[in-house]
Amino acid sequence: PQPYAAIELIHKQPVRWIKDKIVSCDGGGGVLGHPKIFINVDKPQINWCTYCGLPFAKEAHRAYLESLPTTSFPLEPTGDPAEVNERQRVSDEPFGQR
């Protein structure tokens, strides 16, 4: 079997549901991460980190996104071995998701 391309692996990552309209992502922090960026998730769509590709969406838009026939990222974990085993923490703390 051929190995997966990076873009295929990124699109196996489930959406991280966020309560606020802005989320920060630093790729896990430390030397293995990337510069911290802030992502606006206020629109009813899946938004991804431009560095690491992790998908984020606002919890308030979950029903709308689930009503779509297809999405580019899974909305829930699928158990795929390529999934990153990290569960994105959703909290009421500002910028506290990562």
Side-chain angles (χ1 to χ4, degrees), residues 50-71:
T50 54
Y51 282 100
C52 64
L54 285 178
F56 299 92
K58 191 171 181 179
E59 181 70 41
H61 302 306
R62 184 189 286 258
Y64 170 73
L65 291 170
E66 288 175 342
S67 73
L68 297 175
T70 61
T71 58

Side-chain angles (χ1 to χ4, degrees), residues 8-96:
E8 292 171 329
L9 294 173
I10 289 170
H11 283 276
K12 290 178 181 276
Q13 304 311 311
V15 170
R16 275 67 170 169
W17 296 101
I18 308 303
K19 292 182 181 177
D20 268 340
K21 65 180 182 178
I22 296 176
V23 63
S24 63
C25 182
D26 63 6
V31 297
L32 299 178
H34 57 68
K36 181 184 272 190
I37 65 167
F38 297 92
I39 305 163
N40 185 340
V41 294
D42 208 25
K43 293 183 179 178
Q45 63 189 29
I46 298 171
N47 302 279
W48 55 90
C49 175
T50 54
Y51 282 100
C52 64
L54 285 178
F56 299 92
K58 191 171 181 179
E59 181 70 41
H61 302 306
R62 184 189 286 258
Y64 170 73
L65 291 170
E66 288 175 342
S67 73
L68 297 175
T70 61
T71 58
S72 55
F73 294 91
L75 300 179
E76 296 294 333
T78 60
D80 191 293
E83 260 179 40
V84 174
N85 241 352
E86 174 192 1
R87 290 291 296 168
Q88 182 68 32
R89 172 170 66 92
V90 176
S91 72
D92 294 325
E93 176 188 343
F95 306 116

